[in-house]
Amino acid sequence: MKKITCLLSACLLLLVLASCSEFSTTYYLDAANGDDNQSGLSESNAWKSLSKLRDVKLNPGDRVLLKRGNTFQGELEISGQGTSDNRIYIEAYGEGDKPCIVGNDTSLYAVRILNSDYLTLRNVEIVNTGKERKPHRTGLKIECRNYGVSKNIVIDGVDIRDVNGSLVKEEGGGSGILIVNGGKDVISVFDSLTIENCRIRRCARNAMIWSGYSSRENWHPSKHTVIRKNLIEEVPGDGIVPIGCDSTLIEYNVMRNCPATLPDTEAAAGIWPWSCDNTIIQFNEVSDHKAPWDAQGFDSDWNCRNTLIQYNYSHDNDGGMVLICNSGEAPASFNAGNVGTVVQYNISVNDGRRTRPTRVGMFSPLIHLAGPVKNTTICRNIIHRGMKYIEEMDCSMMTFDSWGGYPDSTFVHENIFQSFEKSTFNFTKSTNNVFVYNYYVGRFTQKPDDRLPQSFPDGYSIPEMLEMVEIAGTYGRFVKSTAIRKFFEQR
């Protein structure tokens, strides 16, 4: 009886495996030697054109393989429902460079993933360059519309370059990656979307941006998004901007070499949430941002609650290290305000280096609080302002100003502020500011009343912290700081 039971179990397992094999399909594409009249089910019978996949419904375990060293012209449209233990993969096969998907002249995207679950796109290159700039143009569009919850999409090791969208935000802009969720009939959001190990180069206007439910009266956030270990280069606008999200983790990303190509009307910054709750931004590096307005490394923006910005390295950005802002002119039904932002354990070196006037003249405080932001904490950061590039440069350390109201209840403690030039703190009509245990190095025409600590909580004495500031000014890194050392080791 026992032998019969074991035999039946073995037969059942074989049936299950056979069933999985029967319903899992691998599709091959070869732009050089493929033939659309073939089956597409083997290397020797590969399809040639991306259009063959347009009507293919991908099932659990299915794979789409693009041959390395090939360039595929057109638009790759993907939709499929994998499962947690049987994902769908779109990836490369063969040897050589990553397969490159190049959008058509008028394409709004080169690749679109629509209404999918448990799907991975990895190790491909995406290009979408038209003859002229086109608003809303992107390289990769990830979309969930009238679908429900799109689960566990993974974008891994994808290179996206040369997307010439509009440089103007109000026209629709453009991006390397655009994440869109919405729908009136069926509320649709992402859960556990991950974008990692990607490289975004020469994309206009932005690198990575969302479009979702942003109004608080109709706020349905995507949750548990992870943006990790991506490199953004030569992007003039916004770097990473989640919109309508909850519990997003943004870590170990680098944005650098931002060209000064935006029109004078435009504002942009490195990494920042908009209409999001519980965002964590940590262990990132942003440098060389040159937007005509803002141009900070980091930002906690409109309609955001409980944003945490920590262990980041900001340097040589025209606008400063961080912006914390909210408009008091927006109705409460739309805007819950900016509440509970924490900025801690960050390093700023030679930020605020703007050499051309903004819409309000020469303006580039290293820390800018604008509008009725509430309960902000700024602590244990090292802020180093270098020498002036031109005489007219703004050398403000912190500015609190109006945007339909003023900042309230800002707690600033245990920071080191250093300036080689005369610097100042501009409080205007902000209220309930508390400064304790900060250390000021250099010349200040105005600074807050403060109590001076003898040491900092991590065990460093004041002379040791000053030595770290000197290292920052000379080399731009803090090898004695455990958090920052960890950041560099992870890159």
Side-chain angles (χ1 to χ4, degrees):
M1 187 67 177
K2 185 176 181 180
K3 291 183 179 179
I4 294 174
T5 302
C6 291
L7 182 61
L8 288 173
S9 298
C11 290
L12 180 61
L13 177 60
L14 289 173
L15 286 172
V16 170
L17 292 174
S19 175
C20 290
S21 175
E22 180 181 353
F23 292 104
S24 297
T25 305
T26 299
Y27 301 93
Y28 293 84
L29 283 90
D30 182 340
N33 300 307
D35 185 343
D36 288 346
N37 294 316
Q38 299 294 332
S39 67
L41 300 181
S42 67
E43 291 187 42
S44 59
N45 292 286
W47 287 330
K48 185 181 185 69
S49 307
L50 296 174
S51 58
K52 292 293 292 184
L53 289 167
R54 189 176 295 273
D55 297 322
V56 173
K57 179 67 168 61
L58 297 175
N59 297 302
D62 284 358
R63 298 162 70 89
V64 175
L65 303 181
L66 286 74
K67 191 170 184 178
R68 287 181 176 272
N70 279 208
T71 298
F72 296 85
Q73 187 73 42
E75 299 171 353
L76 175 59
E77 300 269 6
I78 294 294
S79 181
Q81 284 69 47
T83 62
S84 59
D85 56 356
N86 211 9
R87 300 183 65 85
I88 296 167
Y89 290 92
I90 297 92
E91 56 187 343
Y93 78 97
E95 297 181 356
D97 296 334
K98 294 177 181 180
C100 184
I101 301 166
V102 179
N104 297 318
D105 175 47
T106 59
S107 295
L108 288 179
Y109 51 81
V111 178
R112 180 173 73 153
I113 298 172
L114 175 65
N115 292 351
S116 298
D117 298 299
Y118 295 99
L119 183 148
T120 296
L121 172 68
R122 65 186 179 190
N123 295 330
V124 301
E125 184 178 39
I126 298 172
V127 178
N128 195 14
T129 311
K131 294 178 182 177
E132 298 179 352
R133 293 192 180 277
K134 189 176 182 64
H136 305 286
R137 178 178 276 137
T138 191
L140 169 61
K141 186 175 185 180
I142 308 168
E143 188 171 5
C144 174
R145 190 172 297 279
N146 289 319
Y147 178 72
V149 181
S150 178
K151 304 181 187 69
N152 211 274
I153 304 297
V154 174
I155 311 300
D156 183 13
V158 175
D159 295 342
I160 303 165
R161 62 175 175 85
D162 299 306
V163 177
N164 60 338
S166 171
L167 293 171
V168 179
K169 183 178 288 188
E170 290 188 356
E171 290 181 358
S175 55
I177 301 177
L178 175 63
I179 301 99
V180 178
N181 64 284
K184 294 182 180 179
D185 298 332
V186 180
I187 300 300
S188 299
V189 298
F190 292 99
D191 183 40
S192 302
L193 167 68
T194 298
I195 301 174
E196 59 187 359
N197 306 312
C198 296
R199 186 175 183 181
I200 301 175
R201 294 177 293 156
R202 298 186 298 276
C203 292
R205 173 182 185 269
N206 310 308
M208 197 183 304
I209 195 164
W210 279 244
S211 176
Y213 302 96
S214 56
S215 172
R216 288 291 170 167
E217 60 188 357
N218 187 36
W219 196 67
H220 306 283
S222 293
K223 295 185 177 181
H224 311 121
T225 303
V226 176
I227 311 300
R228 178 186 290 132
K229 295 184 180 179
N230 302 287
L231 175 61
I232 299 168
E233 296 181 300
E234 300 178 75
V235 171
D238 297 307
I240 301 172
V241 187
I243 297 174
C245 296
D246 189 1
S247 303
T248 299
L249 175 63
I250 304 172
E251 63 179 5
Y252 299 111
N253 302 282
V254 174
M255 182 179 186
R256 64 191 182 195
N257 301 329
C258 310
T261 55
L262 293 182
D264 288 343
T265 56
E266 294 300 291
I271 300 175
W272 53 282
W274 201 87
S275 190
C276 292
D277 286 356
N278 307 308
T279 307
I280 298 176
I281 301 170
Q282 63 182 11
F283 301 111
N284 304 282
E285 177 182 353
V286 179
S287 63
D288 313 305
H289 211 299
K290 303 178 184 68
W293 183 241
D294 290 344
Q296 293 87 2
F298 303 92
D299 170 19
S300 172
D301 217 281
W302 273 43
N303 204 4
C304 287
R305 300 181 294 192
N306 304 322
T307 304
L308 176 60
I309 301 173
Q310 64 179 2
Y311 304 124
N312 300 288
Y313 180 34
S314 175
H315 63 96
D316 301 294
N317 295 296
D318 278 12
M321 180 184 79
V322 67
L323 168 67
I324 301 141
C325 68
N326 192 66
S327 172
E329 300 166 357
S333 59
F334 174 82
N335 182 6
N338 183 301
V339 181
T341 296
V342 176
V343 180
Q344 64 180 11
Y345 297 111
N346 302 285
I347 296 170
S348 171
V349 178
N350 292 333
D351 284 323
R353 56 178 292 177
R354 196 185 304 279
T355 57
R356 56 177 177 165
T358 70
R359 61 184 69 165
V360 294
M362 298 301 289
F363 184 82
S364 55
L366 297 187
I367 299 174
H368 183 195
L369 286 81
V373 298
K374 296 181 182 297
N375 300 328
T376 302
T377 299
I378 300 170
C379 66
R380 300 168 187 170
N381 304 283
I382 302 179
I383 315 296
H384 168 91
R385 178 179 278 285
M387 302 293 290
K388 287 184 178 181
Y389 291 90
I390 61 172
E391 184 60 31
E392 297 80 13
M393 278 182 65
D394 177 17
C395 289
S396 301
M397 190 62 68
M398 296 183 69
T399 293
F400 300 62
D401 58 14
S402 176
W403 189 1
Y406 289 86
D408 178 64
S409 300
T410 303
F411 185 28
V412 183
H413 65 94
E414 299 170 277
N415 302 279
I416 291 181
F417 298 106
Q418 182 189 36
S419 179
F420 284 135
E421 305 284 352
K422 285 185 179 180
S423 187
T424 189
F425 290 75
N426 303 306
F427 296 108
T428 63
K429 297 181 181 179
S430 59
T431 52
N432 300 311
N433 301 309
V434 176
F435 281 69
V436 294
Y437 298 130
N438 298 287
Y439 198 87
Y440 306 87
V441 184
R443 297 180 294 165
F444 296 87
T445 58
Q446 179 182 349
K447 64 181 182 181
D449 294 330
D450 210 330
R451 288 178 290 169
L452 181 66
Q454 296 304 310
S455 64
F456 283 75
D458 56 10
Y460 291 116
S461 67
I462 291 299
E464 288 175 321
M465 295 297 282
L466 289 177
E467 181 184 353
M468 293 170 68
V469 170
E470 183 178 353
I471 293 171
T474 306
Y475 302 108
R477 60 179 61 188
F478 293 77
V479 295
K480 288 188 177 181
S481 169
T482 301
I484 299 304
R485 183 165 61 248
K486 181 180 178 183
F487 165 73
F488 282 106
E489 289 172 351
Q490 288 287 336
R491 285 174 56 197

